[in-house]
Amino acid sequence: MISVDEALSHLFALVTPLEADNVALIKAHGRVLARDVSATRNQPPFAASAMDGYAVNARAIAPGQTFDVIGEAAAGHAWAGTVGASQAVRIFTGAPLPEGTDHVIIQENVTRTGDTITLDDSANDTAYVRPAGADFKMGDTIRAPRLLTPSDIALLASMNIATVPVTRRPIVAIIATGDELVQPGEAPGPDQIIASNSYGLAALINQLGATARLLPIARDNRASLALAFDLAADADLIVTIGGASVGDHDLVGDVAADKGMDRSFYKVAMRPGKPLMAGQLGDATMIGLPGNPVSAMVCGHVFLAPVIRKMLGMGEQPAPRENHPLAKAVPANGPREHYMRAHLGPAGVTIFDRQDSALLTVLADANCLAVRPINDPARPSGDHIAIVRL
């Protein structure tokens, strides 16, 4: 068996970032920026008013000073002309400042009679002007890689970038294996169960920015498994669920070898998830996950997520960890790194008593995995423990 860190290192060595696609800005949210992009204009492109008021020359400002109002400027409707020292232009938020002005007196600080305004006794020393290029300037750059958020999309739009270079979404083929499985909605036989793992993993894969492709359930025979691998041949990543152990019906490794898989490792010193397998199969990376539902999902967070992030160009990083205090004491851990279902709340981390790898209800109640190192001693309440958020 190898450690979790060693397994991740092997997995990272199997994958490289994918090529870039150009997509319309409206479709770029949630994608990973593949190349640096630069602004094609200044923002704002001109000095603009930040408030409704009157544009004047700052040198003429004094308490009680009067100005003749000679025009009006609104957003999208600049006032053309030059403003003299004793003149003002009525201006609204977002409008360009007219030539000859560099200051906006807010409308609350003037009294207007006809076309004349009189300043109050305030200092009026705040300009209320947004300088040209105050937000960004032409050539300012958004650096890749970057997972594009709604705020990023707004920024790209403001930079007048209509087409965005993003990393292609990895295609992840999911092969659930086992004679005992039927699809959700079907009527299981007396000795069958529902194939839940593949749907949970598909949701995780899609959430990570890849594209999950659910293949038909592969039965516990070589012909069915061989057909499933053939159907997955054009994927970037092949994920099998179950059949990777050493029982008489665990044929995934053998059939993958028949198909030419170059195995990288088999078995990891972790709970749950020990019977993990990975290698290269043609142009695809293959990861064989254990069949127990919780084991498969935990391995999805610990291994699949970092692998997909690397394929998206986000670098080689394990699942992010945080340290939080334990809400209650826990006993010593054994000889494998243990990823325990837990809940992080105001009192700290509560590790659930039931950790059986078949219990999806416990996983659904968890919002994190508490990570216990190999042979970690008993921990009292208040001790800090590492967690991976779910």
Side-chain angles (χ1 to χ4, degrees), residues 162-390:
T163 303
V164 186
V166 296
T167 307
R168 178 173 67 79
R169 294 185 190 274
I171 304 299
V172 184
I174 301 174
I175 304 172
T177 71
D179 289 342
E180 74 278 14
L181 300 178
V182 298
Q183 296 287 7
E186 295 180 354
D191 53 358
Q192 290 183 307
I193 58 174
I194 309 299
S196 59
N197 302 356
S198 48
Y199 287 86
L201 287 169
L204 175 62
I205 288 163
N206 289 332
Q207 178 179 284
L208 290 165
T211 299
R213 195 170 79 202
L214 284 176
L215 296 182
I217 294 169
R219 300 306 169 187
D220 289 326
N221 61 75
R222 289 178 178 272
S224 183
L225 282 166
L227 176 59
F229 280 122
D230 290 342
L231 292 174
D234 60 343
D236 301 297
L237 179 62
I238 300 171
V239 177
T240 63
I241 307 169
S245 192
V246 293
D248 292 340
H249 298 283
D250 295 323
L251 304 173
V252 169
D254 290 345
V255 175
D258 291 344
K259 291 289 183 181
M261 183 186 77
D262 182 12
R263 182 182 290 184
S264 177
F265 66 84
Y266 172 55
K267 291 186 179 180
V268 180
M270 67 179 293
R271 295 178 60 195
K274 174 184 171 183
L276 189 81
M277 175 174 58
Q280 196 71 30
L281 183 58
D283 293 331
T285 297
M286 178 191 151
I287 303 177
L289 302 181
N292 278 328
V294 174
S295 301
M297 291 301 295
V298 167
C299 289
H301 288 281
V302 175
F303 298 112
L304 278 185
V307 165
I308 288 171
R309 290 190 185 105
K310 180 174 180 182
M311 297 175 82
L312 287 168
M314 299 296 286
E316 296 185 2
Q317 299 293 332
R321 295 187 182 185
E322 305 170 14
N323 288 308
H324 292 275
L326 282 165
K328 65 177 184 179
V330 291
N333 188 38
R336 286 187 279 161
E337 192 168 320
H338 199 175
Y339 291 79
M340 308 183 76
R341 283 153 285 172
H343 189 275
L344 174 63
V349 179
T350 300
I351 297 177
F352 297 138
D353 293 331
R354 299 196 302 163
Q355 293 291 326
D356 189 300
S357 59
L359 302 178
L360 281 172
T361 51
V362 180
L363 182 64
D365 287 338
N367 63 7
C368 66
L369 298 171
V371 184
R372 304 293 307 279
I374 292 172
N375 297 321
D376 191 37
R379 300 284 201 93
S381 173
D383 248 23
H384 277 69
I385 193 167
I387 67 163
V388 174
R389 287 187 184 264
L390 298 178

Side-chain angles (χ1 to χ4, degrees), residues 17-23 31-39 140-148 156 159 161 163-168 312-314:
L18 300 179
E19 67 277 11
D21 284 337
N22 289 316
V23 301
R31 304 293 295 272
V32 175
L33 187 68
R35 294 189 299 272
D36 297 351
V37 293
S38 299
D140 283 356
T141 300
I142 300 177
R143 301 292 181 187
R146 183 186 183 105
L147 182 64
L148 295 173
L156 288 164
M159 289 178 163
I161 296 169
T163 303
V164 186
V166 296
T167 307
R168 178 173 67 79
L312 287 168
M314 299 296 286

Side-chain angles (χ1 to χ4, degrees), residues 25-95:
L25 178 62
I26 193 66
K27 296 182 178 179
H29 173 241
R31 304 293 295 272
V32 175
L33 187 68
R35 294 189 299 272
D36 297 351
V37 293
S38 299
T40 63
R41 66 199 302 270
N42 296 335
Q43 179 61 25
F46 42 74
S49 177
M51 299 287 282
D52 293 345
Y54 294 86
V56 300
N57 189 304
R59 290 191 298 269
I61 296 172
Q65 181 68 42
T66 61
F67 295 85
D68 295 328
V69 181
I70 61 172
E72 182 175 290
H77 299 280
W79 187 82
T82 301
V83 181
S86 62
Q87 295 175 326
V89 168
R90 176 70 165 129
I91 196 166
F92 297 93
T93 303

